[in-house]
Amino acid sequence: VSDPSDHVPEMPAVPPLDDATVDAILVGDCGPRRVDHLAAFAADVRATAERPPPRPSPELAALLAHGIPAPSPGRATRSPSAGHGRRRPALATASGLGLAAKVGVATTAAVAGLTGAAAAGVLPGDTDAPVRKVIEVFTPVEFTDDGNPLDQGGNGTGADPSGGPSDAREPGDDADVPVDADRREERDDADEPEADGERGDDGPDAADQVPGTEPQDPAEPADTVADDDAGPNDQQDGAGDATDADRIDTGDRDD
Amino acid sequence: MAHHDRFDGEFDTVLAAARAGSPRALTRIFTALAPVVDAYLRAQGASEPEDLTSEVFLAVLRKLGSFDGDEPGFRSWVFTIAHRRLVDERRRAGRRPVPAPLAEAPDRPAPDDVEATVIDSLAAERVRALCEQLSVDQRDVLLMRLLGPLTIDEIAALMGRTRGSVKALQRRGLDAISRLIEREGVPQ
């Protein structure tokens, strides 16, 4: 004959929780006395977040100490397919020039652009003639009555191969573009949503979405679709694929 | 219990300054939310919670420009990033031998009140021990609800689940905790 105390009931002593009680526990309201132990647990969990912040890594400490450089104004409007790999070094080069050189570069670029546009006849009718006039005054280019440049070596723009765009460059331009700067730009590209198109997963973009504001990518980590009580081993692969991409994308460790 | 605003109502100002690169504002964001993220990662059993917290905030602070929303939305966004990093760590941990357990004491400035710190550490260890016995999803939901604190909808969006699924997970998680405390003699 066994002692009655040997029979441990299969069902919990506390009846299953209803939604109202669960909510009361989780938001910190006082629930029924029978769940005091759960309220205490919830309070203990919250208390773990009331400690001082952890020591930041050296990389993070440097970021906190020095701040984040403001993004360049041109970045926001950059198109992902606009071939920025060619244009950015030119911008980087210009940023290293003196004021006079910058004015010269800007003027030359503007005139070259207008020259091309005028020669191509793409400017509005009322604008075309005055623009040609200006070009003729400030450049060696002259236009015929039908709008074609006179001194063409066949390229139709009137730009002198020896005195055209290359005049905008100064000795050492290439050297002015730090190699690291180019590499940094390439890494930065990976941070941008446009550059993520090839991933086909929900890496950083999904991770950075404000939940509830945008639809989730259907290619969620496996843990998000696993059964409620699935163990960690059931969730590894898909989840990792997404977050690996996240890590690469953010370039956290390398900057 | 009202939500504890860790920015004292100045979130918009802090966010704007942080976006402009202000070190002070960036530090304010870190000091406000790093303890929460660190607590979440510790309770989840992350092997190197401090390093992971730093990783999370490097990502958060570098991507501030992509965030648009209010303070609750920001917490949810930070938790989303933290959770993804945690999932990544779980996956990596599954591929390599389990390292020897690290000392639990976090590397932080020496506290003034040693007794209180010891009690806090014991409570934190008890929390971790209880959470360890939950299923991964139950633990995710309960900790995000308690520490975020994230709403059911925010967690549902983060985990790609329905509201009903999240509610079921939190209820089953608390039921499990209740059983552990009452029947398995976990010390209180």
Side-chain angles (χ1 to χ4, degrees), chain A residues 168-248:
Chain A
R169 299 173 63 84
E170 293 184 358
D173 272 357
D174 287 340
D176 289 343
V177 183
V179 174
D180 284 346
D182 281 347
R183 289 178 181 161
R184 174 60 175 263
E185 294 288 352
E186 289 172 9
R187 282 204 304 273
D188 286 347
D189 286 347
D191 281 345
E192 298 195 359
E194 308 91 83
D196 298 330
E198 76 281 5
R199 284 187 294 103
D201 59 38
D202 67 339
D205 290 341
D208 298 345
Q209 287 171 1
V210 178
T213 59
E214 291 185 46
Q216 290 271 336
D217 189 315
E220 274 290 319
D223 71 328
T224 62
V225 293
D227 289 339
D228 288 349
D229 290 327
N233 291 338
D234 295 333
Q235 308 172 7
Q236 301 303 329
D237 291 341
D241 291 345
T243 49
D244 266 356
D246 183 14
R247 189 174 311 287
I248 292 167

Side-chain angles (χ1 to χ4, degrees), chain A residues 9-10 12-14 16-17 19 22-23 26-29 37-38 41-42 44-46 48-57 59-60 63-68 191 202 206-212 216 220-221 223-224 226-229 232 235-237 239-241 243-244 246-247 250-253 255, chain B residues 1 4 6 21 23 26-27 30 34-36 38-39 42 50 53-55 57-59 61-63 67 73 76-77 80-81 83-85 87-88 90-92 107-108 121 124 126-127 130 135-138 142-143 145-147 154 157 159-161 165 167 169-172 174-175 177-179 181-183:
Chain A
E10 288 299 319
V14 177
L17 301 167
D19 284 350
V22 168
D23 286 341
L26 293 178
V27 302
D29 290 339
H37 58 298
L38 288 175
F41 166 77
D44 283 347
V45 173
R46 291 191 198 91
T48 62
E50 299 305 323
R51 308 163 110 187
R55 191 184 303 276
S57 65
E59 191 179 3
L60 178 59
L63 189 150
L64 294 174
H66 303 299
I68 301 172
D191 281 345
D202 67 339
D208 298 345
Q209 287 171 1
V210 178
Q216 290 271 336
E220 274 290 319
D223 71 328
T224 62
D227 289 339
D228 288 349
D229 290 327
Q235 308 172 7
Q236 301 303 329
D237 291 341
D241 291 345
T243 49
D244 266 356
D246 183 14
R247 189 174 311 287
T250 55
D252 290 339
R253 294 187 183 280
D255 285 343
Chain B
M1 175 186 287
H4 178 196
R6 291 178 175 266
L26 295 171
T27 302
F30 176 74
V36 182
D38 184 58
R42 285 181 187 281
E50 291 196 359
T53 300
S54 285
E55 278 189 32
F57 278 89
L58 278 169
L61 298 181
R62 285 173 175 159
K63 289 174 169 283
F67 172 78
S76 180
W77 184 62
T80 302
I81 294 173
H83 183 71
R84 302 279 182 188
R85 299 291 167 132
V87 170
D88 192 20
R90 285 175 184 162
R91 175 177 172 269
R92 281 185 276 116
D107 183 17
R108 300 182 187 184
S121 295
R126 177 172 171 268
V127 164
L130 286 169
S135 76
V136 172
D137 291 331
Q138 288 172 357
L142 277 187
L143 291 175
R145 286 284 276 153
L146 289 167
L147 289 171
E154 287 170 337
M159 297 180 71
R161 290 182 175 275
S165 171
K167 290 176 76 171
L169 281 168
Q170 68 181 18
R171 179 177 47 75
R172 287 206 292 265
L174 284 178
D175 277 335
I177 293 289
S178 181
R179 288 195 299 273
I181 292 173
E182 293 204 344
R183 295 171 53 193

Side-chain angles (χ1 to χ4, degrees), chain B residues 4-183:
Chain B
H4 178 196
D5 180 1
R6 291 178 175 266
F7 292 91
D8 298 326
E10 298 177 336
F11 173 74
D12 291 342
T13 307
V14 172
L15 179 63
R19 278 177 172 161
S22 159
R24 188 172 181 176
L26 295 171
T27 302
R28 178 101 183 259
I29 289 175
F30 176 74
T31 54
L33 294 179
V36 182
V37 170
D38 184 58
Y40 176 71
L41 297 173
R42 285 181 187 281
Q44 287 277 14
S47 61
E48 296 178 8
E50 291 196 359
D51 289 349
L52 206 50
T53 300
S54 285
E55 278 189 32
V56 169
F57 278 89
L58 278 169
V60 165
L61 298 181
R62 285 173 175 159
K63 289 174 169 283
L64 281 177
S66 68
F67 172 78
D68 184 22
D70 56 10
E71 194 265 344
F74 187 70
R75 279 186 291 104
S76 180
W77 184 62
V78 170
F79 254 81
T80 302
I81 294 173
H83 183 71
R84 302 279 182 188
R85 299 291 167 132
L86 177 72
V87 170
D88 192 20
E89 192 202 65
R90 285 175 184 162
R91 175 177 172 269
R92 281 185 276 116
R95 283 180 176 174
R96 68 186 180 213
V98 178
L102 299 175
E104 282 298 317
D107 183 17
R108 300 182 187 184
D112 294 333
D113 188 342
V114 175
E115 183 182 353
T117 303
V118 170
I119 292 172
D120 284 351
S121 295
L122 290 173
E125 175 56 26
R126 177 172 171 268
V127 164
R128 196 193 62 75
L130 286 169
C131 289
E132 198 173 43
Q133 299 182 63
L134 299 174
S135 76
V136 172
D137 291 331
Q138 288 172 357
R139 190 166 66 224
D140 289 348
V141 169
L142 277 187
L143 291 175
M144 282 191 267
R145 286 284 276 153
L146 289 167
L147 289 171
L150 269 57
T151 66
I152 290 174
D153 287 334
E154 287 170 337
I155 295 172
L158 192 162
M159 297 180 71
R161 290 182 175 275
T162 63
R163 273 180 60 88
S165 171
V166 172
K167 290 176 76 171
L169 281 168
Q170 68 181 18
R171 179 177 47 75
R172 287 206 292 265
L174 284 178
D175 277 335
I177 293 289
S178 181
R179 288 195 299 273
L180 286 168
I181 292 173
E182 293 204 344
R183 295 171 53 193

